Amino acid sequence: MIAIALIGAGCTSQEEGPAEETTKEPVRIGIIQWDDSRAGAYVFTGILDEGGYEYETVSADVGGLYQATAQGDIDVLIHTWLPVTQASYWDKYGDSLNKAKVVSSGAKIGLVVPDYVYDSGITTVEDLKGNASKFDGKITGIEPGAGIMITTEKALEEYNLEEYELYSSSTVGMATTLQDKLDNEEWIVVTLWRPHWTFARMEGLKFLEDPKGVYGGSDNLVILTRPGFEEDRPEFYQLIQNYEMDLNDIESIMIAIDEGQSPEKAAADWLAEHPEKYDEVLGTQ
């Protein structure tokens, strides 16, 4: 059994949970420690609290959570990025996992420029070639070793962009530099993904098209379940089927997390502004 860290247990918001669930063990929910996953997960668990469902939240790295779910040690895994970004984990564990629900569509990673750069004719990664001087010869990245940085190193080779340097920074450093360039309408190209709070905070960001498919296609944010979960917990499984989130809403919660709120508080504040989500998921409309 893989070691996993218990980071919190959900308490029911009623003295008793739903009748069919009271004799069952708490549902074990795995949360990937990416801000989009935490944003979505704590909206979902906030709804579970309202419905009186018992659960535990479990934290580990992406690979560990995939393995634990495939082994049945985790019941529900929120949000996975499939079919592209986490393809290697799906290839390894997918035969023992169930794709229960697509929560959001349109997630992706790639290179991003301001709209004024895009409108000038730089619309694909190929268009960067020969224009390095306009970008100071730099692609602004995040932490060295991050998956998107490794993929961008590959993109530099595939597109013959030897005149560019991939500049390592941090996610916060990249976003700060991007905002400075936007404020002055200067040219910049950055490594970025969506959902990310920059898309909610900064207007006019465009992904460069990737004709060679180095960054892969569009992803879905997917809830996975362990083998047999649907049969074991049909009522809870139905809640998963009822749950969807728009990327813009996820990004608005991510802004609050970036500004220092806990994921739980950011999600609770969002739910307070969108009380219809309780009825939508709990089926009480």
Side-chain angles (χ1 to χ4, degrees):
M1 179 181 294
I2 189 169
I4 50 180
L6 181 66
I7 63 171
C11 299
T12 61
S13 57
Q14 305 169 4
E15 291 186 2
E16 294 185 353
E20 294 183 19
E21 299 285 335
T22 53
T23 61
K24 305 260 186 178
E25 291 294 319
V27 173
R28 294 156 295 181
I29 300 174
I31 304 175
I32 297 169
Q33 292 303 287
W34 298 358
D35 281 351
D36 66 274
S37 298
R38 294 191 294 174
Y42 287 115
V43 169
F44 187 66
T45 58
I47 294 168
L48 295 181
D49 289 338
E50 179 71 14
Y53 290 87
E54 293 189 353
Y55 62 88
E56 296 172 348
T57 56
V58 177
S59 175
D61 61 80
V62 178
L65 286 173
Y66 265 85
Q67 182 178 349
T69 308
Q71 292 176 173
D73 299 324
I74 296 294
D75 297 306
V76 178
L77 178 54
I78 307 175
H79 287 155
T80 62
W81 284 54
L82 294 169
V84 178
T85 303
Q86 294 170 6
S88 61
Y89 299 113
W90 183 260
D91 290 344
K92 187 172 183 178
Y93 301 111
D95 288 345
S96 299
L97 294 169
N98 173 53
K99 291 180 181 177
K101 176 67 176 181
V102 173
V103 176
S104 303
S105 298
K108 65 186 300 183
I109 68 171
L111 295 180
V112 168
V113 297
D115 56 1
Y116 50 83
V117 174
Y118 192 92
D119 293 342
S120 75
I122 308 296
T123 62
T124 74
V125 180
E126 288 178 326
D127 293 331
L128 294 174
K129 190 168 182 63
N131 288 294
S133 61
K134 297 177 181 178
F135 296 95
D136 296 325
K138 180 190 301 183
I139 295 174
T140 302
I142 57 169
E143 291 80 3
I148 194 171
M149 295 290 280
I150 295 170
T151 303
T152 301
E153 291 281 8
K154 182 180 178 182
L156 292 177
E157 296 178 5
E158 291 289 327
Y159 287 100
N160 299 313
L161 299 176
E162 59 277 352
E163 69 266 39
Y164 287 85
E165 175 189 357
L166 178 58
Y167 178 78
S168 299
S169 177
S170 65
T171 302
V172 172
M174 174 275 295
T176 300
T177 302
L178 177 58
Q179 184 65 74
D180 289 343
K181 295 290 188 179
L182 285 168
D183 289 343
N184 294 291
E185 291 198 8
E186 296 174 346
W187 283 39
I188 186 172
V189 55
V190 301
T191 62
L192 200 49
W193 57 96
R194 190 170 190 206
H196 190 276
W197 55 263
T198 50
F199 286 94
R201 180 175 290 168
M202 305 177 194
E203 294 184 2
L205 298 179
K206 298 282 184 64
F207 277 97
L208 294 180
E209 296 169 28
D210 175 23
K212 295 189 177 183
V214 177
Y215 291 96
S218 178
D219 263 325
N220 295 317
L221 302 183
V222 183
I223 295 179
L224 303 180
T225 56
R226 64 165 171 81
F229 183 74
E230 179 180 3
E231 293 76 21
D232 295 343
R233 307 298 288 265
E235 183 177 350
F236 200 102
Y237 193 82
Q238 184 58 52
L239 301 180
I240 296 172
Q241 298 305 299
N242 296 343
Y243 181 61
E244 295 180 353
M245 286 286 287
D246 186 270
L247 288 183
N248 292 326
D249 290 327
I250 294 172
E251 287 166 348
S252 70
I253 299 170
M254 292 171 71
I255 285 181
I257 295 172
D258 178 68
E259 291 176 344
Q261 283 193 13
S262 70
E264 297 91 335
K265 178 64 164 57
D269 287 350
W270 185 87
L271 279 168
E273 296 176 359
H274 300 83
E276 70 281 356
K277 186 61 71 173
Y278 292 113
D279 294 336
E280 180 182 314
V281 176
L282 296 173
T284 56
Q285 291 177 317

